[in-house]
Structure formats: C-alpha cells, structure tokens
C-alpha cells in the first residue's frame, strides 16, 4: 500500500509523527504514525494500513455479504486495524447478527478508543460487536461450524509478516481448520496487497470453492489489492459465483 507523498515539517521521521509504539506478542513492534490529518500503522518500515486508503479493507466485508446475504449471523474478523472492515460489516449485517473481532496486539485495541477514536466512531459500542485480545488462529482452531464468515486482514498477504505464527493461518492445515470452523455455506475471505497463485491452490485443496477478486488499491502507482473469497459447500449444493 502507498503512503502520502512528503512529510510534515515537524515530522521526526521521513514518514510522519510517531504517536505510539506497540509490542507484538512473540516479538516485533507496530508503530502508529500521524501525517497531518492521516494515520498509518507500520511494522518496521512496512506499511500495514493507512487511513487515506481503505476501500479494499471495507470490500473484505461487503463482498462476502453481497454473496451470502441475510443468512450471515455470526462473523469472525481477524485484525482490528483501523476498524474499516468492522465498520463495513456493521453497515451490512442485520441487527440480530454478531461480530467477534480477534486482535493479537492489546495496544491496537487501546488505539481504537484513543488516538483513532474519531475513526472508529461508535463501532466499539455496538452491542453486536465484541473484541477478543487473542490470536485469531486459536479462535479458529477452537471452533467447529461456528461462523458464517471469517474475514482475515492480519498481514499484507497470505504469509506471516507481522508474526511468523500467522503462517499457520495460510498453510494447508490452517485452511482446513478454517473450513471446519465455518458453517455449511460459510465463507473465508482473505485480504492481500498482492496475488498468490500458490495460496489459491491451497484453498482449493482444502475444499473451498474459490473466487479471487481484484480491488482498486486507491493509488494508480500500485497494483490492485486481492481478496480471496473461499466458500464452504452446502450439504446439498455449491455456492455459485457470478460467471462460474
């Protein structure tokens, strides 16, 4: 993902003003930066998210609900981030649905009610929403036929960038665990800044019916982002994607 061009005169770094730093369980740090009115989360010098470009993060939720419709009742979101996916899920889910957000880094949750509170609005106060400060992998493994949708945006793609342990989410065994955690007809959606044909093949091997969607990155200098929509088959029928 791109960054805004240039830096403010008062910036102590080339990228912006460092607002806070968060230790990642298992090692490493996240940095929250401000660029005038915009914010950015970095892992080292790798951008994970910027507040000026969030269309694809919202699409992670809306594309799923466009395909599954009103039957979506219970959703697991992997990664709180800046709350864009959560906000999109709230906007399309019925009032009876529940959204569980798994966030590995405690300070990211604190940012949501602190320096990023103006971006989250009333998301954290929605009675449909609960936040679990846990590894989303553990929640998936502990679940069986529990979720109608699992939305993952915890790295820049299907590899363990932020935490090496995240590799478990994208390997053959992890994808089978996600398949088991979904209810029949449910969907696993994974956000990425880049395509990965090998990951597509692993999803198919795990039993999913697959659609790969390109979403505008918001910057013509950068290629489209990628969202994998992986559907678990119903007992008596398949999820039919447009054009399939």
């Amino acid at each position: 993902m791109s960054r805004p061009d240039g830096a403010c005169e008062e910036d102590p770094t080339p990228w912006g003003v460092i607002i806070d730093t968060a230790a990642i369980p298992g090692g490493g740090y996240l940095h929250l930066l401000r660029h005038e009115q915009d914010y950015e989360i970095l892992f080292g010098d790798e951008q994970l998210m910027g507040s000026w470009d969030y269309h694809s993060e919202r699409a992670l939720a809306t594309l799923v609900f466009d395909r599954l419709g009103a039957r979506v009742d219970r959703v697991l979101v992997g990664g709180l981030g800046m709350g864009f996916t959560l906000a999109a899920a709230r906007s399309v889910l019925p009032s009876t649905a529940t959204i569980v957000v798994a966030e590995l880094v405690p300070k990211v949750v604190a940012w949501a009610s602190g320096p990023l509170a103006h971006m989250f609005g009333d998301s954290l106060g929605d009675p449909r929403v609960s936040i679990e400060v846990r590894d989303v992998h553990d929640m998936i493994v502990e679940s069986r036929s529990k979720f109608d949708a699992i939305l993952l945006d915890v790295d820049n793609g299907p590899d363990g960038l932020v935490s090496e342990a995240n590799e478990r989410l994208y390997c053959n065994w992890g994808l089978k665990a996600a398949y088991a955690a979904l209810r029949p007809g449910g969907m696993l959606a994974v956000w990425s800044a880049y395509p990965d044909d090998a990951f597509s093949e692993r999803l198919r091997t795990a039993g999913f019916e697959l659609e790969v969607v390109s979403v505008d990155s918001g910057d013509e200098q950068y290629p489209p982002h990628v969202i994998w929509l992986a559907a678990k088959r119903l007992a008596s029928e398949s999820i039919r994607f447009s054009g399939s």
Side-chain angles (χ1 to χ4, degrees):
M1 297 173 66
S2 59
R3 298 175 184 170
D5 292 331
C8 305
E9 290 183 0
E10 71 274 22
D11 287 351
T13 76
W15 308 290
V17 177
I18 298 176
I19 301 301
D20 201 2
T21 297
I24 302 170
Y29 295 90
L30 298 179
H31 303 287
L32 178 63
L33 280 73
R34 186 182 71 241
H35 311 263
E36 296 184 337
Q37 76 278 10
D38 288 310
Y39 290 81
E40 180 180 27
I41 296 176
L42 298 182
F43 173 66
D45 61 357
E46 186 82 25
Q47 189 207 67
L48 297 180
M49 186 170 293
S51 63
W52 58 90
D53 177 13
Y54 52 83
H55 176 65
S56 60
E57 284 85 355
R58 291 183 63 87
L60 182 64
T62 58
L63 288 172
V64 169
F65 302 123
D66 285 348
R67 285 151 179 78
L68 299 187
R71 64 176 157 156
V72 179
D73 179 64
R74 187 167 179 82
V75 177
L76 174 62
V77 178
L80 180 60
M82 294 183 173
F84 300 126
T85 300
L86 172 59
R90 291 178 61 224
S91 72
V92 294
L93 277 175
S95 60
T96 55
T98 59
I99 309 168
V100 183
V101 182
E103 173 54 55
L104 180 66
V105 182
K107 264 203 176 178
V108 171
V109 180
W111 293 343
S113 56
L116 302 182
H118 63 288
M119 295 171 54
F120 277 82
D122 59 356
S123 285
L124 301 186
D126 189 325
R128 298 173 298 173
V129 175
S130 61
I131 309 294
E132 299 275 353
V133 183
R134 297 189 61 195
D135 190 327
V136 68
H137 167 268
D138 295 341
M139 295 188 68
I140 290 172
V141 170
E142 294 169 6
S143 304
R144 183 164 293 274
S145 298
K146 185 174 183 179
F147 298 105
D148 298 295
I150 299 172
L151 316 179
L152 295 181
D153 182 8
V154 295
D155 290 292
N156 267 0
D159 59 73
L161 173 66
V162 174
S163 171
E164 289 186 9
N166 283 350
E167 294 284 355
R168 302 174 297 172
L169 292 167
Y170 315 115
C171 68
N172 292 331
W173 182 86
L175 295 178
K176 290 178 180 177
Y179 191 93
L182 289 167
R183 294 168 177 168
M187 184 170 288
L188 169 68
V190 182
W191 183 96
S192 178
Y194 50 83
D196 187 329
D197 291 340
F199 182 61
S200 296
E201 187 57 34
R202 291 199 298 276
L203 285 164
R204 294 188 180 97
T205 299
F208 289 104
E209 289 191 347
L210 184 62
E211 181 184 11
V212 184
V213 180
S214 294
V215 181
D216 186 3
S217 66
D219 190 324
E220 61 184 12
Q221 300 180 69
Y222 292 84
H225 298 154
V226 177
I227 296 175
W228 286 270
L229 301 171
K232 181 175 181 175
R233 293 175 176 85
L234 292 165
S236 59
E237 60 179 312
S238 298
I239 303 293
R240 305 308 299 173
F241 292 120
S242 60
S244 62

